[in-house]
Amino acid sequence: MRFLPQRKRFRDLTEQEILALAISSEEDDARIYRSYAERLRGDYPASARMFEAMAEEEDAHRAQLIALHEARFGSTIPLLRREHVAGYYNRRPVWLIQNLGLDRIRAEAALMEHDAEQFYLAAVRRTGDAETRRLLGDLAAAEARHQTLAGDLAEAHLVGDARAQEDAAAHRQFVLTWVQPGLAGLMDGSVSTLAPIFATAFATHDTQTTLLIGIAASVGAGISMGFTEAASDDGEISGRGSPVKRGLASGIMTTLGGMGHALPYLITDFWTATTLAFVIVFVELWAIAWIQRRYMETPFFRAAFQVVLGGALVLAAGILIGSG
């Protein structure tokens, strides 16, 4: 029994179907740009105006395509969308992109225009009709101009300090939503688990027991920190962003911070595992200091002194308790 293909192959499309596909694609792109504009309007008004202008351009291109279709094939346009054609480029869902930040949205817009240009160039190569080749060539050139237009619109709407201000706001939001809770989690996971892990290690000299205690302490601390961060602030007033994102950042980094010096106890030789754990603790503490310097603008040596001193005290407490 032969099954009918669920999607048409691009090379099997007629000239009318290619034009219909272009019309629906332009309509979809305009809606995507308007979604970006709505998402950005509150925090990045200049970029929102840019995407509104790009949506208007897509509307104009769609109107031109419809006029060309009516002239060649009549007013009845076949229903053909991206998902109906195998191998045709697909747009990523808006909700996956719009939550990834301003730069990611801008990059996606540039990619959208590039994909559309490539579609028309491919369509030109697979037709021998002179009129169709001229039409599709014009469309390819138009999409190439759209990429330039996107840059021109950015220059028009992101004038003066607007781009710098929006980039600074996006960076601040990234720090508040991801870096700050992640850093707090990394510090808690790296420092708070030192005492129970090394106390167990020096009390038992048993690497398997130490490993189990370390994993339990790390995972437990990660769950606790993640839920605490998510429940402590919904982000509406503070502007710190999604509590789910902050909770994930805090929980995951807390777990990783503890796991770093727990996993060396997979090694069965106690002193080899402990020496490696000491080295990893040193790297973790200096990494925390670097992140504080990079994103929180804390002077490096002050951050290093605070983190290393605190970690050394907790580490010493764990060793003394375990050796007592």
Side-chain angles (χ1 to χ4, degrees), residues 79-227:
L79 177 60
L80 195 65
R81 306 184 71 85
R82 289 187 175 94
E83 59 269 23
H84 301 156
V85 181
Y88 190 66
Y89 68 90
N90 289 310
R91 299 298 189 211
R92 281 150 290 280
V94 172
W95 59 86
L96 292 180
I97 302 300
Q98 65 183 11
N99 291 322
L100 296 182
L102 183 59
D103 286 340
R104 183 66 182 85
I105 293 176
R106 290 173 179 167
E108 183 68 14
L111 181 61
M112 287 170 61
E113 299 297 342
H114 173 75
D115 286 345
E117 178 190 5
Q118 294 304 306
F119 156 66
Y120 288 124
L121 290 175
V124 167
R125 290 193 294 268
R126 58 165 297 274
T127 182
D129 179 77
E131 179 63 20
T132 303
R133 289 179 65 86
R134 184 197 63 78
L135 169 63
L136 296 178
D138 289 346
L139 293 174
E143 291 300 335
R145 290 195 298 272
H146 295 176
Q147 297 179 58
T148 304
L149 175 62
D152 294 341
L153 289 171
E155 294 298 325
H157 292 285
L158 301 179
V159 295
D161 294 332
R163 180 185 289 274
Q165 291 173 356
E166 290 192 350
D167 289 344
H171 175 74
R172 179 177 179 275
Q173 192 63 57
F174 172 73
V175 170
L176 290 175
T177 302
W178 295 105
V179 176
Q180 193 177 70
L183 178 61
L186 182 60
M187 293 176 66
D188 184 84
S190 298
V191 176
S192 68
T193 59
L194 288 174
I197 290 176
F198 286 100
T200 302
F202 281 88
T204 66
H205 283 242
D206 184 340
T207 57
Q208 185 176 7
T209 301
T210 304
L211 176 64
L212 292 176
I213 294 295
I215 293 175
S218 301
V219 173
I223 294 173
S224 176
M225 282 289 289
F227 274 99

Side-chain angles (χ1 to χ4, degrees), residues 43-66:
D43 295 326
Y44 312 109
S47 285
R49 290 193 295 272
M50 182 191 77
F51 281 113
E52 285 284 5
M54 292 178 70
E56 292 173 1
E57 289 294 328
E58 298 299 322
D59 287 339
H61 302 151
R62 176 172 172 267
Q64 294 171 358
L65 287 164
I66 291 174

Side-chain angles (χ1 to χ4, degrees), residues 26-37:
E26 295 286 357
E27 179 182 7
D28 288 346
D29 288 354
R31 295 173 66 183
I32 290 173
Y33 287 144
R34 286 195 170 89
S35 296
Y36 290 161

